[in-house]
Amino acid sequence: MIGSELDAAGVSDPALREAYRRCRMLNAAHGRTFFLATRLLAPHQRPAVHALYGFARQADDILDDFNPDRGAVERAEQLQRLATRLFDALVQGTGCGADPALAAVVHTARRYDISWNLFDDFLASMRMDLTVTDYPDRPALEHYMHGSAEVIGLQMLPVLGTVVPREEAAPYAAALGKAFQLTNFLRDVDEDLQRGRVYLPADELAAHDVDRDVLMWCHTRHRTDPRVRRALAEQHAVTRRVYDYARTGIAMLAPGSRPCISAALTLYSEILDRIESIDYAIFSQRASVGTARRLRVACGGLIRAWRSRGAEPAGGR
């Protein structure tokens, strides 16, 4: 299957084909919902999405490797080396060495004219994770999410294609990336606490008499304090509004890409449904969408994707 996708994408160089294969393996192993949605794209689009995921995963692994012998300074240096190699390859035109994720993402960025600045903003937010463990307010969190989530949507946009000028669709693509990350923040409060991080605005938590100590009490006892439940419900409502805004941008995408993004939005937003249905008991269980439901959404999306590809004109923005 991957061979036919690479053929459709016009990737013929053996080393580059292997680089894309490695990125696809990373997506399949670690991004289950995202990978499933990617299957709804046309074959020629999929390798680029895998490459973008593979690069993001490489940076994320630097941060989340729990090896106690690797401190913040070493991780920062590793991220800087990654940023330098990407800049040299993408802007200066040097080689990528033996790094498959880098080779694939550089090829993708050149093919789709994805700006270096988007990758630079992404890596800047990754560096923040080395030193920033709390966010005092919404603007501070928004600053982090621009690089960690919104730019992912913006990187994806030229691959997906649009029926309007790209800059018109950009705010909605950015919002969808943010909605996905806000969903993860809610679902993973307990897991993030174990890493010493809280990705919820401190002032909005404080309005419900919640701080890090209260969250740690919930983590230790595997219980959701009523104050925390109210705070999470408020964050839940904020995230819903971001999804509502992002959803209106799907019609701006190329018809063949809409089923993929619609399926991803549906499945991620249903994680919010699950958080609400378990009454915010996120310290004792993980909110997730079942395999059967994911497959039903994917099958429906696949039918719509086939139909749209048959009706979509050649070319695109």
Side-chain angles (χ1 to χ4, degrees):
M1 181 65 71
I2 180 60
S4 62
E5 292 175 358
L6 293 171
D7 291 341
V11 180
S12 57
D13 178 79
L16 195 55
R17 287 172 72 92
E18 179 59 26
Y20 275 108
R21 286 192 185 96
R22 293 281 296 276
C23 291
R24 185 182 188 274
M25 290 171 58
L26 283 172
N27 195 349
H30 300 286
R32 293 185 305 167
T33 298
F34 186 68
F35 180 78
L36 187 61
T38 302
R39 302 293 302 152
L40 305 182
L41 291 173
H44 74 272
Q45 295 171 299
R46 297 172 197 163
V49 177
H50 297 322
L52 291 169
Y53 181 92
F55 178 78
R57 184 74 199 185
Q58 184 177 17
D60 199 50
D61 284 346
I62 293 173
L63 297 172
D64 291 336
D65 178 2
F66 290 108
N67 184 346
D69 295 328
R70 293 177 61 248
V73 173
E74 183 178 350
R75 294 171 200 262
E77 291 173 349
Q78 198 170 349
L79 276 174
Q80 185 56 49
R81 287 195 295 270
L82 178 62
T84 300
R85 291 200 308 271
L86 177 63
F87 178 83
D88 289 347
L90 189 56
V91 180
Q92 306 288 1
T94 64
C96 298
D99 188 334
L102 194 64
V105 82
V106 167
H107 181 264
T108 290
R110 288 174 176 163
R111 177 177 181 180
Y112 289 98
D113 192 26
I114 301 173
S115 169
W116 151 254
N117 291 333
L118 295 178
F119 294 100
D120 193 34
D121 288 346
F122 169 75
L123 290 167
S125 284
M126 295 303 97
R127 293 187 196 98
M128 288 175 65
D129 271 329
L130 295 173
T131 56
V132 180
T133 58
D134 299 87
Y135 294 85
D137 49 34
R138 180 71 52 178
L141 185 63
E142 293 275 357
H143 174 70
Y144 169 79
M145 287 192 295
H146 169 71
S148 63
E150 291 183 344
V151 298
I152 305 300
L154 296 173
Q155 289 171 352
M156 286 276 293
L157 197 55
V159 180
L160 299 173
T162 61
V163 295
V164 299
R166 192 187 301 179
E167 59 270 18
E168 186 176 334
Y172 301 94
L176 187 59
K178 180 165 67 175
F180 290 167
Q181 187 166 63
L182 286 170
T183 302
N184 288 340
F185 288 164
L186 277 173
R187 181 193 62 192
D188 298 337
V189 169
D190 193 59
E191 181 179 331
D192 290 333
L193 280 169
Q194 296 179 58
R195 299 174 179 176
R197 303 171 187 159
V198 176
Y199 292 105
L200 302 174
D203 61 341
E204 296 176 19
L205 295 179
H208 299 275
D209 295 323
V210 174
D211 57 15
R212 179 183 280 266
D213 289 340
V214 174
L215 293 175
M216 284 304 300
W217 183 94
C218 296
H219 166 72
T220 302
R221 291 162 177 78
H222 308 294
R223 292 171 52 189
T224 304
D225 182 278
R227 295 168 295 174
V228 173
R229 184 175 289 107
R230 290 191 293 270
L232 294 177
E234 181 179 71
Q235 299 300 313
H236 187 281
V238 170
T239 306
R240 276 286 181 215
R241 290 194 291 272
V242 179
Y243 273 110
D244 291 342
Y245 175 79
R247 185 177 288 108
T248 61
I250 292 178
M252 299 180 184
L253 300 176
S257 297
R258 293 171 195 167
C260 165
I261 301 307
S262 180
L265 187 151
T266 296
L267 291 173
Y268 259 91
S269 64
E270 287 188 6
I271 296 175
L272 281 186
D273 294 339
R274 179 61 178 157
I275 292 171
E276 187 175 34
S277 70
I278 63 174
D279 199 23
Y280 303 96
I282 57 172
F283 299 94
S284 58
Q285 55 187 300
R286 183 177 175 83
S288 62
V289 178
T291 300
R293 173 58 180 164
R294 290 203 305 271
L295 291 176
R296 284 197 300 272
V297 171
C299 287
L302 188 59
I303 293 170
R304 292 191 296 276
W306 284 339
R307 289 172 177 169
S308 66
R309 284 173 209 159
E312 190 174 59
R317 297 176 187 268

